[in-house]
Amino acid sequence: MTRSVRIHEFGDADVLRIEDIVTGEPDAGEVRLRVHAFGLNRTEVTLRSGRSPVKPALPSSIGFEAAGVIEALGPDVTGFAVGDHVALVPAYGAAQYALYGEVSLAPARSLVAIPDQVSFSEAAATWVAYGTAWGGLVAIGALAAGQTVLISAASSSVGIAAIQIANCLRARPIALTRTSAKADALLAHGAAAVIATAEQDVVAEVKRLTDGKGANLVFDSVGGPAFAQLARATANGGTLILYGALATEPTVVPPFDIFARNLTIRGLSFPNLMRDDAQLAAMKRFVSGGLADGTLRPTIARTFPFDQIADAHRFIEAGEQIGKVVVTV
């Protein structure tokens, strides 16, 4: 028996229960992983709360990314061995594997080797954040040197990753955050400019910062009524990528701005993108290269012990962190 987090109902962080479960032997294409750390994401918060459009049968395990040591290999698994230190790139749902736990099965296809100098916590803070940002800015957004990208919820782990990736591409990242409280920290993390959306006129500020042209790319995890402002702040022929729905209000799409200026709206589901072998390989190469040369550096806002999983969820929901929230096991 091993301990694992499960939910028996949808709701607030109190529905997260640590229970004893049995983890079986890995099937073909799977490994059994001794988990040492896992990262928290809004994906799991959305699932736990019941806001996710896809609801698993209850009770359900939960977990999206983790890092640990391989304990057993399933049939036909090659390229890895028992004892390897690995992390996971999600190409699966947040209720498919029991990654919030001491031991979990995991798909071998999603594994990434952890270099000796990288801790389990750092590895657990890496692949969703940088993979999602890569998917939006590189794979879909085709962000180029000299272009401007607006990054909403910029203090999140994905937001910080997007700032770093934009700088790697020699583009100009403009960070969007609710208030100016995090402005200095975001500038220190590489943002070219910061706009406090609750305190400033977003459209006017973007136009001022871009000599009236607007942003070439918008990378948005919020949606809601403010999406219309982002469309108005986008340059002619620009692209808006929506990869989350932090706002609980309906997302507003202004039709005249969209068709009059030839704007493109794209959705991004990172797990769906990673189901493509070529995209998965390209993302791993890009992120691994950036980690190796130091241009990409995961930021851990806070680490919680496993027994405080509910507190960790409350912390991420408060939205005060800058970077990734990690739980150690």
Side-chain angles (χ1 to χ4, degrees):
M1 302 287 284
T2 62
R3 297 196 305 157
S4 184
V5 175
R6 298 210 300 169
I7 56 173
H8 292 253
E9 60 184 317
F10 300 112
D12 62 22
D14 290 331
V15 304
L16 298 167
R17 299 186 193 175
I18 298 177
E19 301 177 339
D20 290 329
I21 67 167
V22 175
T23 303
E25 295 300 314
D27 281 334
E30 291 184 333
V31 303
R32 189 172 69 237
L33 187 69
R34 172 67 61 173
V35 177
H36 284 257
F38 56 85
L40 299 193
N41 301 278
R42 289 285 181 174
T43 299
E44 302 105 87
V45 173
T46 302
L47 171 71
R48 184 219 73 212
S49 69
R51 287 191 62 217
S52 174
V54 178
K55 294 179 174 58
L58 298 176
S60 174
S61 296
I62 188 171
F64 203 47
E65 67 177 326
V69 179
I70 295 176
E71 283 192 339
L73 302 174
D76 78 4
V77 172
T78 60
F80 294 95
V82 171
D84 283 354
H85 292 199
V86 295
L88 285 164
V89 177
Y92 44 79
Q96 195 168 344
Y97 294 98
L99 295 172
Y100 276 24
E102 295 173 334
V103 176
S104 177
L105 300 178
R109 179 182 176 276
S110 291
L111 297 178
V112 181
I114 302 175
D116 291 340
Q117 70 275 17
V118 176
S119 71
F120 289 116
S121 292
E122 290 170 328
T126 296
W127 292 96
V128 168
Y130 287 95
T132 303
W134 176 89
L137 273 59
V138 178
I140 295 176
L143 186 66
Q147 292 185 332
T148 297
V149 54
L150 300 185
I151 301 167
S152 70
S155 62
S156 68
S157 58
V158 177
I160 297 296
I163 290 171
Q164 293 180 10
I165 288 175
N167 284 321
C168 285
L169 299 171
R170 292 182 290 114
R172 188 185 188 203
I174 296 177
L176 305 182
T177 186
R178 195 175 62 83
T179 72
S180 55
K182 297 178 181 178
D184 288 344
L186 288 169
L187 291 170
H189 277 87
V194 178
I195 299 174
T197 59
E199 301 170 6
Q200 297 173 278
D201 183 321
V202 173
V203 177
E205 279 299 298
V206 172
K207 293 297 179 70
R208 182 183 68 81
L209 292 166
T210 59
D211 296 325
K213 297 175 183 177
N216 306 97
L217 182 65
V218 173
F219 188 51
D220 182 38
S221 62
V222 180
F227 192 75
Q229 287 184 312
L230 299 182
R232 295 186 182 104
T234 305
N236 289 344
T239 298
L240 299 97
I241 296 172
L242 187 62
Y243 73 96
L246 294 179
T248 56
E249 305 95 331
T251 296
V252 176
V253 177
F256 291 102
D257 288 287
I258 301 303
F259 66 71
R261 294 190 288 111
N262 295 326
L263 303 184
T264 299
I265 298 175
R266 291 286 305 270
L268 168 64
S269 166
F270 180 54
N272 284 341
L273 186 66
M274 291 299 97
R275 290 187 176 105
D276 182 285
D277 288 339
Q279 297 282 25
L280 175 62
M283 186 279 296
K284 286 182 179 180
R285 285 195 301 271
F286 183 97
V287 175
S288 295
L291 294 172
D293 67 20
T295 55
L296 303 182
R297 303 170 304 281
T299 299
I300 298 177
R302 186 170 170 184
T303 301
F304 288 82
F306 182 53
D307 288 329
Q308 294 179 16
I309 181 62
D311 290 334
H313 264 237
R314 294 186 191 99
F315 182 74
I316 196 172
E317 287 182 287
E320 299 303 320
Q321 80 278 6
I322 296 176
K324 193 76 171 185
V325 178
V326 173
V327 173
T328 56
V329 182

